[in-house]
């Protein structure tokens, strides 16, 4: 489509787009193009199947070179979202999870609200063939799903990114009524801090034999992580909880000795 003005700078700031194990360079390129259409530029890839950089991705991006050039690679989803404080996971099917579920319009508004408040937000998109695993969804704060025809609910990855990018852009338009004053903002914990809390808690619970029987450990860990993610801890709260766990660890060490 004609009409692109390449002299106009991309709109600054917006949610990070995280693609988990994307398979085709062409799909990554179409995602970059969709992002550029709506002012997004932070594209993160977790283990792209065909490696990176990709000539096919650049060709399919249709001159969204600023997005392609800024792509960052990660080995794990945890690493890709470590610096974020609010993460949405996209999924087309119900999950065995107690996480809040939003539609794309509501999710766009929530992203806008948090990012304008200085938080770092992001959206997880899964593999072309089977999406995100339950464990990966468990790393997000909330789920976003699209109101598509249940008889044909499959969206390709570029379509899904396009929809969320559009909702992000749309959320910034129109008059937003704001209260005259608000409560002081407390910085939310980064995902890296939260993941450290997960691992510390799980190690301590292993030490006291909480995960019993052993074959249920994976499900029990997933439930704990869901509860901790839903809490929306601030960074000082995570520090306090880590301090509590360290005290328990010391007491366990003294008891053993």
């Amino acid at each position: 489509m004609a009409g692109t003005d390449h002299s106009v700078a991309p709109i600054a700031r917006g949610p990070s787009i995280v693609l988990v194990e994307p398979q085709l360079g062409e799909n990554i390129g179409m995602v970059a193009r969709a992002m550029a259409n709506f002012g997004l530029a932070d594209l993160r890839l977790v283990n792209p199947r065909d490696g990176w950089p990709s000539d096919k991705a650049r060709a399919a991006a249709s001159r969204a070179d600023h997005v392609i050039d800024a792509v960052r690679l990660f080995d794990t989803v945890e690493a890709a979202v470590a610096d974020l404080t609010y993460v949405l996971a996209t999924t087309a099917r119900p999950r065995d999870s107690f996480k809040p579920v939003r539609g794309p319009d509501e999710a766009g508004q929530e992203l806008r609200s948090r990012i304008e408040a200085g938080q770092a937000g992001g959206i997880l998109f899964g593999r072309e063939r089977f999406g995100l695993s339950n464990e990966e969804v468990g790393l997000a704060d909330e789920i976003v799903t699209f109101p598509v025809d249940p008889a044909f609910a499959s969206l390709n990855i570029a379509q899904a990114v396009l929809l969320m990018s559009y909702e992000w852009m749309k959320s910034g338009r129109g008059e937003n009524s704001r209260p005259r004053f608000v409560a002081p903002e407390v910085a939310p914990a980064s995902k890296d801090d939260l993941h450290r809390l997960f691992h510390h808690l799980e190690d301590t619970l292993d030490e006291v034999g909480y995960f019993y029987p052993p074959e249920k450990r994976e499900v029990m860990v997933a439930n704990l992580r869901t509860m901790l993610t839903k809490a929306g801890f601030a960074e000082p709260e995570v520090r306090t909880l880590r301090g509590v766990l360290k005290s328990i660890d010391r007491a366990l060490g003294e008891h053993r000795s």
Side-chain angles (χ1 to χ4, degrees), residues 94-101 137-138 140-143 219 222-231:
R95 302 285 182 150
D96 185 17
S97 171
F98 296 105
K99 291 184 183 297
V101 179
V137 171
D141 298 281
E142 298 183 348
I143 290 170
V219 173
N223 289 339
L224 283 170
R225 290 188 176 198
T226 294
M227 287 189 291
L228 292 170
T229 304
K230 284 173 61 179

Side-chain angles (χ1 to χ4, degrees), residues 109-122:
Q109 291 285 351
E110 183 66 17
L111 274 168
R112 174 74 59 177
S113 173
R114 288 175 179 263
I115 288 173
E116 287 185 350
Q119 299 181 27

Side-chain angles (χ1 to χ4, degrees), residues 25 52-61:
W52 193 261
S54 167
D55 291 338
K56 291 180 179 179
R58 187 174 295 276

Side-chain angles (χ1 to χ4, degrees), residues 55-251:
D55 291 338
K56 291 180 179 179
R58 187 174 295 276
S62 189
R63 292 188 284 183
D65 292 329
H66 63 287
V67 179
I68 294 295
D69 291 339
V71 162
R72 285 184 279 173
L73 300 181
F74 297 88
D75 292 330
T76 65
V77 176
E78 284 194 11
V81 302
D83 63 325
L84 307 179
T85 57
Y86 177 69
V87 176
L88 289 163
T90 59
T91 181
R93 62 184 188 274
R95 302 285 182 150
D96 185 17
S97 171
F98 296 105
K99 291 184 183 297
V101 179
R102 296 181 185 269
D105 52 350
E106 186 185 7
Q109 291 285 351
E110 183 66 17
L111 274 168
R112 174 74 59 177
S113 173
R114 288 175 179 263
I115 288 173
E116 287 185 350
Q119 299 181 27
I123 314 171
L124 286 175
F125 296 86
R127 302 153 188 84
E128 290 93 329
R129 291 183 60 191
F130 58 89
L132 296 167
S133 69
N134 287 333
E135 181 179 359
E136 290 158 352
V137 171
L139 295 173
D141 298 281
E142 298 183 348
I143 290 170
V144 58
T145 192
F146 304 109
V148 294
D149 186 340
F152 196 77
S154 175
L155 293 174
N156 71 39
I157 193 170
Q159 289 174 322
V161 172
L162 180 72
L163 281 171
M164 284 309 303
S165 300
Y166 168 73
E167 291 296 344
W168 159 257
M169 177 67 79
K170 189 177 72 172
S171 70
R173 297 183 176 179
E175 290 293 324
N176 294 319
S177 57
R178 299 176 182 270
R180 292 195 302 115
F181 58 90
V182 295
E185 289 286 342
V186 179
S190 71
K191 295 304 176 193
D192 189 40
D193 287 337
L194 199 57
H195 298 159
R196 291 173 186 273
L197 173 62
F198 291 164
H199 297 313
H200 192 166
L201 175 60
E202 289 153 20
D203 288 345
T204 301
L205 292 176
D206 275 326
E207 182 72 17
V208 298
Y210 172 77
F211 297 115
Y212 183 85
E215 59 269 20
K216 291 189 176 181
R217 186 184 190 280
E218 183 177 347
V219 173
M220 296 170 76
V221 165
N223 289 339
L224 283 170
R225 290 188 176 198
T226 294
M227 287 189 291
L228 292 170
T229 304
K230 284 173 61 179
F233 289 124
E235 187 266 340
E237 293 171 327
V238 170
R239 282 206 314 267
T240 298
L241 289 172
R242 292 290 303 277
V244 170
L245 289 171
K246 288 176 182 176
S247 295
I248 294 172
D249 293 341
R250 281 197 300 270

